């Protein structure tokens, strides 16, 4: 079944829950902004989707104002924002952002200029020990803004930022590009040609090299080769490679942190296009000197839509890629990458093409070598156009996979699915009691995973919404507990693009990093700071020293230094530089200013 391919529309089929002559409705994303229209068509179906009811946690569900035309995509943000070691729920509805405890207590809400569709990104962006939240908006007429909130809902100085009110799409990506312990904010501005921005966390441009232009409207959330989780143990402070990946509606772009195109990009295929299929950057190594393991994976629509896996040179990683979608049906989902210890076992892709009455290839599981896992693609009748989340059991012998659905019954109930399998995806089957009903669509969303009451059990947080295109439409936040499953946060792919930084960087679970202890300031000194020409470096005993520019590029180095050395910086541009000293398997890094 082709999904309105010529018009570029994204379709979803709504089915009735009983065997009868009835109607189903088809929701359509009518343009690249995500505006939705709806059609109603007579249809006869047999009852092929048995659904169940599950009690929600106390104080849930809750309903919030929804925009009549622009519905939420990609779920919520689950993040501990008050440092009590219990996850909280942060989400948007129309022109507001909300923060709630897992027990249903509202911490705060804030009004936004523009309409918020995607969930916020979250991390400690200014190294103050607290979580900040980065939220973007759009709207019709366009009213796009970028906000940064502190944990208490206050807007940080310098924000919001707007670029002529142009829509900011999709989510922001967060990364520390220059190892100064401050995270940059990478966002795309919807215009033609589109622009990709890198902003400091005070709202100013990262450098004069940004923004860069794309060859059409931006289509995805950008991805960055930066590992926040291991930033304190990796030699480059979490930077795996100077690589930012972005898709316009017609091409895959790759830039280094200076805004220069990476060799081999952009990748343009006349038969494929991009909207909402935000890619992942996957690696099986933390070795920044060996980038052979970097894989960029994602999906497309177009005349010959595909699931792809390419390397940093813009080439398919082997002869088995790309993989065509079923029936050349369009897909708009972001992939999920899973694996334990030594490498990725498979990439998961979604496909929406089900018609409500016949089983249809819906979940695709493909190895990095380009081979389908036995038993896949997995078929079901209700399709999937949303993100896929997953978690390994505490014993690392089971895998749990969760998705939303493209359909709802005549009573307005949508669905969430949960599956269990062995870690190689054998014995993949729907868990007892699923699929579960919720009010409204889970279309373009999914199941966020966390522990929102602190009892150690896995909680599912699901965003759904009404689709009557009226002012009374609501966004619903649904919360379920899985009492028989312990939450395993270190082995959980729990949200859109894997983490709340939304930067799409993914490694196999359990992959060990090479920890480098830091020296103390007494063992390492750099002076004068600021400097104009000569920079002195002093250490204890023998050491190696490197000087890097603000993008992380190595500009000067000396090995086997005894106690001290000097560098001449007179011919280099004014700005921030980083001095890295390594000795006896210990490392230290300081920032200096060149005047």
């Amino acid at each position: 079944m082709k999904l309105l391919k010529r018009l570029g529309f994204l379709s979803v089929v709504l089915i009735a829950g009983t065997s009868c002559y009835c109607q189903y409705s088809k929701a359509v994303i009518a343009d690249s902004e995500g505006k939705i229209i709806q059609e109603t068509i007579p249809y006869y179906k047999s009852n092929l989707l048995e659904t169940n009811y599950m009690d929600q946690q106390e104080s849930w569900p809750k309903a919030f104002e929804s925009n009549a035309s622009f519905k939420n995509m990609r779920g919520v943000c689950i993040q501990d924002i008050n440092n009590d070691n219990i996850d909280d729920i942060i989400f948007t509805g129309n022109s507001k952002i909300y923060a709630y405890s897992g027990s249903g207590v509202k911490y705060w809400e804030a009004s936004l200029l523009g309409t918020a569709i995607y969930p916020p990104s979250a991390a400690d962006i200014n190294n103050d020990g607290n979580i900040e939240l980065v939220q973007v908006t759009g709207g019709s007429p366009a009213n796009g803004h970028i906000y940064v909130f502190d944990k208490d809902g206050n807007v940080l100085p310098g924000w919001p930022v707007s670029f002529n009110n142009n829509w900011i799409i999709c989510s922001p990506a967060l990364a520390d590009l220059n190892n100064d312990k401050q995270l940059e904010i990478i966002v795309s501005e919807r215009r033609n040609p589109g622009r990709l921005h890198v902003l400091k966390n005070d709202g100013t441009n990262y450098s004069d090299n940004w923004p860069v232009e794309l060859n059409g409207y931006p289509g995805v959330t950008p991805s960055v080769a930066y590992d926040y989780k291991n930033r304190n143990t990796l030699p480059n402070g979490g930077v795996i490679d100077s690589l930012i990946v972005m898709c316009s509606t017609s091409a895959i772009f790759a830039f280094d942190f200076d805004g220069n195109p990476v060799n081999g990009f952009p990748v343009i295929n006349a038969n494929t296009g991009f909207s909402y299929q935000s890619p992942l950057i996957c690696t099986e190594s933390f070795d920044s000197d060996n980038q052979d393991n970097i894989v960029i994976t994602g999906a497309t629509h177009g005349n010959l839509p595909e699931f792809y896996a390419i390397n940093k040179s813009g080439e398919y990683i082997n002869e088995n890629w790309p993989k065509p979608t079923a029936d050349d049906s369009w897909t708009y989902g972001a992939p999920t990458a899973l694996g334990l210890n030594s490498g990725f076992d498979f990439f998961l892709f979604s496909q929406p093409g089900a018609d409500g009455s016949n089983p249809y290839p819906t979940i695709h599981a493909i190895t990095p070598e380009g081979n389908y896992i036995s038993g896949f693609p997995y078929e079901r009748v209700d399709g999937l156009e949303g993100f896929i989340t997953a978690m390994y059991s505490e014993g690392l012998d089971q895998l749990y996979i969760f998705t939303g659905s493209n359909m709802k019954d005549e009573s307005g109930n949508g669905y969430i699915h949960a599956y269990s399998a062995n870690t190689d995806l054998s014995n993949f089957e729907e868990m007892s009691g699923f699929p579960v009903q919720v009010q409204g669509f889970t279309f373009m969303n999914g199941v966020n995973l966390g522990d929102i009451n602190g009892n150690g059990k896995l909680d599912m947080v699901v965003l759904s919404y009404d689709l009557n295109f009226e002012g009374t439409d609501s966004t619903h936040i649904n919360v379920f507990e899985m009492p028989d499953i312990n939450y395993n946060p270190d082995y959980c792919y729990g949200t859109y693009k894997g983490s709340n930084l939304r930067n799409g960087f993914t490694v196999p679970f359990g992959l060990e990093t090479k920890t480098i202890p830091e020296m103390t300031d007494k063992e390492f000194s750099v002076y004068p700071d600021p400097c104009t020409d000569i920079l002195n470096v002093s250490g204890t005993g023998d050491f190696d020293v490197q000087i890097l520019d603000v993008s992380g590029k190595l500009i000067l180095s000396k090995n086997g230094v005894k106690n001290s050395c000097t560098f001449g910086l007179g011919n280099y541009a004014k700005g921030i530089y980083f001095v890295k000293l390594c000795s006896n398997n210990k490392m230290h890094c300081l920032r200096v200013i060149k005047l």
Side-chain angles (χ1 to χ4, degrees):
M1 171 181 170
K2 301 287 181 68
L3 293 188
L4 296 180
K5 185 164 61 178
R6 293 191 178 185
L7 296 179
F9 292 170
L10 174 58
S11 302
V12 55
V13 177
L14 317 184
I15 63 173
T18 59
S19 299
C20 61
Y21 184 81
C22 59
Q23 292 180 329
Y24 75 86
S25 296
K26 179 169 62 178
V28 177
I29 291 184
D31 55 37
S32 58
E33 289 184 343
K35 194 171 183 178
I36 297 175
I37 61 175
Q38 180 173 276
E39 301 171 357
T40 303
I41 304 171
Y43 189 69
Y44 180 82
K45 67 169 290 293
S46 60
N47 191 4
L48 296 178
L49 185 62
E50 299 290 342
T51 60
N52 301 274
Y53 176 81
M54 180 186 291
D55 288 333
Q56 299 200 33
Q57 291 200 44
E58 186 176 353
S59 301
W60 302 97
K62 294 182 184 293
F64 301 85
E65 180 184 2
S66 173
N67 187 279
S69 297
F70 296 101
K71 305 301 182 181
N72 291 72
M73 299 180 181
R74 309 316 189 200
V76 305
C77 175
I78 298 180
Q79 177 76 52
D80 175 16
I81 61 173
N82 58 2
N83 296 321
D84 64 356
N85 296 315
I86 300 175
D87 285 332
D88 304 303
I89 307 172
I90 308 97
F91 58 94
T92 62
N94 200 7
S95 296
K96 287 189 176 181
I97 181 172
Y98 304 87
Y100 272 76
S101 72
S103 61
V105 175
K106 182 172 74 174
Y107 292 141
W108 51 266
E109 68 177 65
S111 296
L112 304 166
L113 293 172
T115 303
I117 294 181
Y118 275 69
S121 302
D124 180 5
I125 68 170
N126 55 14
N127 202 29
D128 67 350
N130 296 307
I131 292 293
E132 284 78 39
L133 302 157
V134 185
Q135 180 65 54
V136 301
T137 66
S140 182
N143 197 13
H145 288 75
I146 310 161
Y147 286 85
V148 178
F149 294 93
D150 67 16
K151 65 183 181 64
D152 299 314
N154 303 304
V155 179
L156 267 59
W159 304 94
V161 168
S162 178
F163 306 112
N164 298 318
N165 288 337
N166 289 330
W167 193 311
I168 307 299
I169 193 167
C170 297
S171 280
L174 308 179
D176 179 4
L177 304 189
N178 54 15
N179 195 17
D180 67 349
K181 311 304 180 184
Q182 306 283 312
L183 300 192
E184 279 69 51
I185 299 168
I186 302 96
V187 295
S188 53
E189 175 190 359
R190 187 186 182 278
R191 42 168 264 174
N192 193 0
R195 295 198 296 185
L196 181 64
H197 296 261
V198 178
L199 304 175
K200 298 178 184 178
N201 58 41
D202 63 1
T204 60
N205 273 342
Y206 174 67
S207 75
D208 292 339
N209 298 333
W210 298 93
V212 295
E213 286 196 343
L214 310 174
N215 67 342
Y217 289 106
V220 302
T221 297
S223 293
V224 189
Y226 169 73
D227 187 354
Y228 180 77
K229 180 179 179 181
N230 295 301
R231 65 194 184 280
N232 293 323
T233 59
L234 288 169
N236 293 325
V239 173
I240 305 304
D241 188 36
S242 180
L243 177 64
I244 300 175
V245 177
M246 180 62 192
C247 300
S248 71
T249 48
S250 60
I252 306 174
F253 288 82
F255 303 97
D256 64 22
F257 292 170
D258 288 325
N260 302 307
V262 174
N263 289 337
F265 291 85
V267 175
I268 301 175
N269 182 338
N271 290 309
T272 61
F274 303 89
S275 296
Y276 312 114
Q277 311 97 333
S278 299
L280 299 181
I281 298 175
C282 304
T283 187
E284 298 174 356
S285 170
F286 291 106
D287 183 1
S288 60
D289 295 326
N290 178 11
Q291 296 307 316
D292 291 341
N293 284 323
I294 281 186
V295 174
I296 301 165
T297 183
T300 74
H301 54 66
N303 292 325
L304 295 174
E306 65 184 40
F307 307 119
Y308 66 86
I310 60 177
N311 60 27
K312 196 186 168 184
S313 297
E315 302 166 335
Y316 295 115
I317 61 174
N318 60 48
E319 65 276 5
N320 294 325
W321 294 94
K323 310 297 288 188
T325 64
D327 297 334
D328 288 339
S329 173
W330 284 23
T331 182
Y332 291 78
T336 297
L338 298 172
L340 289 170
N341 299 317
S342 60
F344 289 101
D345 297 322
F346 39 79
F347 304 137
L348 299 178
F349 303 92
S350 63
Q351 191 162 350
D355 62 7
S357 61
N358 300 298
Y360 191 85
T362 301
I363 302 175
H364 299 255
I366 306 171
T367 67
E369 293 74 27
N371 302 314
Y372 268 95
I373 298 287
S374 178
F376 288 85
Y378 178 83
E379 296 185 339
R380 66 188 204 200
V381 301
D382 58 328
L384 174 60
E385 197 54 86
F387 60 89
I388 300 172
T389 50
M391 188 189 75
Y392 289 92
S393 64
E394 284 189 311
L396 302 183
D397 56 354
Q398 285 285 111
L399 181 62
Y400 308 106
I401 294 176
F402 305 86
T403 82
S405 170
N406 277 16
M407 301 183 181
K408 70 176 183 178
D409 64 23
E410 61 185 355
S411 299
N413 297 315
Y415 312 114
I416 58 174
H417 291 267
Y419 305 91
S420 63
N422 297 327
T423 57
D424 62 358
L425 283 186
S426 60
N427 296 325
F428 184 90
E429 61 182 2
E430 186 108 41
M431 296 175 65
S432 177
F434 286 86
V436 167
Q437 296 180 355
V438 294
Q439 181 176 340
F441 274 116
T442 58
F443 168 64
M444 290 298 286
N445 289 279
V447 182
N448 294 93
L449 306 177
D451 178 13
I452 56 93
N453 55 14
N455 68 350
K457 299 299 181 181
L458 176 64
D459 296 319
M460 305 184 300
V461 181
V462 179
L463 185 148
S464 59
Y465 53 80
D466 301 325
L467 196 59
N468 300 315
F469 310 105
E470 298 175 354
T472 55
D473 279 4
S474 294
T475 296
H476 306 275
I477 304 299
N478 308 273
V479 181
F480 303 89
E481 184 165 89
M482 304 289 283
D484 297 327
I485 301 178
N486 291 331
Y487 180 49
N488 192 6
D490 293 330
Y491 287 78
C492 183
Y493 189 104
T495 189
Y496 165 62
K497 295 198 76 177
S499 77
N500 286 334
L501 277 81
R502 318 289 180 204
N503 66 23
F505 178 74
T506 309
V507 299
F509 289 107
L511 182 65
E512 292 186 2
T513 63
K514 182 178 180 181
T515 302
I516 298 182
E518 285 198 354
M519 292 176 152
T520 65
D521 289 338
K522 294 180 180 179
E523 297 176 282
F524 180 27
S525 63
V526 175
Y527 59 93
D529 183 19
C531 70
T532 57
D533 185 5
I534 300 300
L535 181 70
N536 301 287
V537 180
S538 295
T540 302
D542 297 341
F543 60 85
D544 300 330
V545 62
Q546 298 177 338
I547 298 181
L548 303 94
D549 66 15
V550 73
S551 72
K553 180 181 178 181
L554 178 66
I555 63 167
L556 293 169
S557 66
K558 292 183 179 182
N559 296 326
V561 176
K562 294 184 180 297
N563 299 319
S564 66
C565 66
T566 61
F567 289 92
L569 298 182
N571 293 327
Y572 290 90
K574 297 178 181 180
I576 296 173
Y577 292 84
F578 298 92
V579 182
K580 183 190 299 182
L581 184 147
C582 297
S583 177
N584 296 322
N585 293 320
K586 298 171 71 177
M587 182 192 74
H588 198 62
C589 187
L590 287 178
R591 182 175 66 172
V592 297
I593 297 174
K594 163 70 167 57
L595 299 178

